[in-house]
Amino acid sequence: MKRILPLLAAATATALALTAPALADDWTSVLKKADANDDGMIDKLEVMNFADPLSAPGFKPFFAVHFDAIDKNGDGMLEMAEVKRAMKAMKLSDAQIASMFSKRIYDGL
């Protein structure tokens, strides 16, 4: 058992390292994946149901905190343009957004 845990930890770390660059290149792909009904917007139910634990474990925690603030028109839906404007207003780079989405525990801005 003592041998298995380090191997499992190393395999997990390797998998996370391999997926992180793809997310850093295009964090918007995570939003597109979360859009389950393919309508070009995400709602709270889609955020809640989104599961991509390897490349975006921080997606749900991030939007749990920021969804309402990003939803400027209050319609309960986030359009890509709304999200991009909010990220720009928060002065977040693509790399910072990717980093937040890839963290297992969201620790704020």
Side-chain angles (χ1 to χ4, degrees):
M1 184 68 165
K2 288 182 181 180
R3 290 183 184 165
I4 294 173
L5 290 177
L7 291 174
L8 183 59
T12 302
T14 300
L16 289 172
L18 292 173
T19 59
L23 181 56
D25 289 340
D26 187 14
W27 61 267
T28 59
S29 65
V30 176
L31 293 177
K32 291 174 188 167
K33 280 187 194 175
D35 182 13
N37 63 3
D38 227 9
D39 65 355
M41 299 179 273
I42 56 171
D43 59 33
K44 287 184 179 181
L45 185 61
E46 287 173 319
V47 170
M48 227 171 53
N49 290 331
F50 180 72
D52 192 350
L54 285 180
S55 65
F59 178 84
K60 280 185 197 181
F62 177 85
F63 281 104
V65 172
H66 297 289
F67 190 99
D68 291 331
I70 293 171
D71 184 19
K72 294 294 185 190
N73 63 8
D75 66 355
M77 307 288 280
L78 297 180
E79 297 175 34
M80 183 68 76
E82 271 181 310
V83 176
K84 286 183 177 181
R85 277 194 302 275
M87 299 303 185
K88 187 175 179 179
M90 288 187 241
K91 297 182 183 341
L92 296 173
S93 69
D94 287 344
Q96 289 170 312
I97 297 164
S99 174
M100 285 187 285
F101 283 6
S102 64
K103 287 181 182 178
R104 293 211 172 281
I105 298 172
Y106 178 69
D107 56 5
L109 298 175

